[in-house]
Each structure stands twice: as structure tokens, then as C-alpha cells.
Amino acid sequence: TQLLEQSPQFLSIQEGENLTVYCNSSSVFSSLQWYRQEPGEGPVLLVTVVTGGEVKKLKRLTFQFGDARKDSSLHITAAQPGDTGLYLCAGASTRKLIWGLGTSLAVNP
Amino acid sequence: EAGVAQSPRYKIIEKRQSVAFWCNPISGHATLYWYQQILGQGPKLLIQFQNNGVVDDSQLPKDRFSAERLKGVDSTLKIQPAKLEDSAVYLCASSPWVTEGAGTEAFFGQGTRLTVV
């Protein structure tokens, strides 16, 4: 059974702080995706990483795919209240998406 | 491009009643998912269709849940009879799944919030 462990589960920080969310697995994924979900809405795709070692930046968000394509991280610089939400990672393998349990982030003004 | 459409947005039913959810995926997307999501947690896959065939329904409680995707386009998910623990958000998503790398992204509808009382 493929698993994707996401940590931390909860994170409450002050505006301006930096944070990192991790997704780890013993399985290799062909791609890994990060989503953000706001209350009352479905998850929305932030980024897809495909190549081992790949780094992608989206404004203050930096995503990294591990060299072995088994793990990924999301780093947010200078977090803002608008970053509050549930962050989810999902790994693609053999025509299936394996989901992490999510990181609930609260950024306090 | 129109997104994934789901209805209804909200539903309140009594336990032991039945309920049905409808989903219309993005045009051309071969893969369709139904997920159950508990507040604050990641989505749990109920069933995955590839066109009108089932890829994975291993976590679907088949004694009470059923789903179909006729003609490989829209889909319905039914619960009969509902239990209190079925209270959750039911999300539909679709994906083009062109290759194993890029193109596997899931596009979600807004979900249906089900409350069983």
C-alpha cells in the first residue's frame, strides 16, 4: 500500500514567519502535486513537480521534489494571513493519486 | 473552460434515507474521482473511473454506496441507506491523465456538504 506522510498536521504562525511542509513516502512517484484548499471549496492545484531534484517557485512559495522522487517540500517565505488554508500533497503512480492527510495552516495577523 | 460541476451544494437527510450526488467533469477528461472529505483532513478516494470503467473502488462501502458513470461523461454517487458517519463533504474531481507525469492533476468541484441527522 502506497502512503504519503505529510507533516506537520497543524501549524499556527505569525504573519511574516517562514514555514516548511513536508511530504514523505517510501514509494517513487512519477509526479507530485501540491494543492491548497479554502473552507467550502475544493482543493486547487498550486504546482506539479515531475523531475527528481526539481525546484519550482510561485511568488513566496517554493516547491522541491526529492532526487529520488519519493518526497517533496513546500516552503513559504514571509507568510501572510491570505496563506491560511489546508495544504495537500498528492503523488501520482500507476494511474492513481495518493494523497497526504493535509497540513492545516493558520497565519495570524 | 468550464470547471467541474457538482450538485447539490448542501444536503440534509435523516439516517436510513437515501441521497444522490451528481457530477459533470471537465470536457474531455477521461478520469473521474469521487472523494469523501472530513473537515480538516485530506480527501479519501471512494471510486475512480477511467472513461466508464472502474479503476479503483477498494474503499467504497459497497453495501451502501454505489456510483456509475454512464457514457464516460457525468457521474452519480448514491448512498442508501445513509448513516450518521456519512456526514462529510463529497468531492468530485476529473483529470485528463495524459501521461504518468504532467497531466495527472485533479480538478475539483466545490463539493456537496452532506449532513445526516
Side-chain angles (χ1 to χ4, degrees), chain A residues 34-107:
Chain A
W34 286 92
Y35 296 78
R36 179 167 165 262
Q37 185 177 21
E38 296 189 34
E41 302 293 330
V44 175
L45 179 72
L46 295 173
V47 78
T48 301
V49 284
V50 179
T51 306
E54 183 176 5
V55 177
K56 282 191 174 180
K57 292 191 175 183
L58 187 65
K59 297 183 180 179
R60 294 175 293 100
L61 279 60
T62 301
F63 305 85
Q64 186 162 7
F65 203 11
D67 291 341
R69 291 186 289 134
K70 294 181 179 181
D71 54 85
S72 182
S73 63
L74 157 61
H75 182 79
I76 301 179
T77 303
Q80 299 178 0
D83 295 328
T84 293
L86 180 67
Y87 289 81
L88 297 158
C89 60
S93 176
T94 58
R95 306 197 76 80
K96 295 182 181 180
L97 277 182
I98 309 301
W99 290 86
L101 291 180
T103 295
S104 183
L105 171 65
V107 183

Side-chain angles (χ1 to χ4, degrees), chain A residues 30 33 37 48 95 99 101, chain B residues 35 37 42 48 100 104-105:
Chain A
S30 57
Q33 301 146 28
Q37 185 177 21
T48 301
R95 306 197 76 80
W99 290 86
L101 291 180
Chain B
Y35 290 96
Q37 188 176 31
Q48 177 181 345
E100 278 291 319
T104 59
E105 298 85 353

Side-chain angles (χ1 to χ4, degrees), chain B:
Chain B
E1 180 181 76
V4 176
Q6 283 190 253
S7 65
R9 282 298 310 275
Y10 306 93
K11 191 73 176 179
I12 301 174
I13 61 172
E14 295 182 349
K15 59 184 179 183
R16 291 187 289 274
Q17 285 188 324
S18 63
V19 64
F21 312 125
W22 175 81
C23 173
N24 191 22
I26 293 173
S27 177
H29 282 193
T31 300
L32 185 147
Y33 307 90
W34 282 103
Y35 290 96
Q36 181 190 62
Q37 188 176 31
I38 305 298
L39 184 65
Q41 296 183 14
K44 171 189 170 184
L45 179 69
L46 294 174
I47 189 167
Q48 177 181 345
F49 292 97
Q50 181 72 15
N51 297 307
N52 60 347
V54 176
V55 173
D56 185 355
D57 64 355
S58 58
Q59 298 190 86
L60 185 74
K62 298 180 183 65
D63 58 334
R64 298 185 300 107
F65 286 64
S66 64
E68 60 181 9
R69 189 183 185 196
L70 298 176
K71 300 180 181 178
V73 182
D74 57 352
S75 176
T76 56
L77 175 70
K78 297 178 182 178
I79 307 175
Q80 181 178 10
K83 293 185 175 181
L84 296 176
E85 58 261 36
D86 297 332
S87 294
V89 174
Y90 290 84
L91 293 165
C92 178
S94 69
S95 172
W97 208 288
V98 177
T99 67
E100 278 291 319
T104 59
E105 298 85 353
F107 296 84
F108 286 84
Q110 290 184 299
T112 297
R113 180 176 296 279
L114 174 67
T115 302
V116 183
V117 298

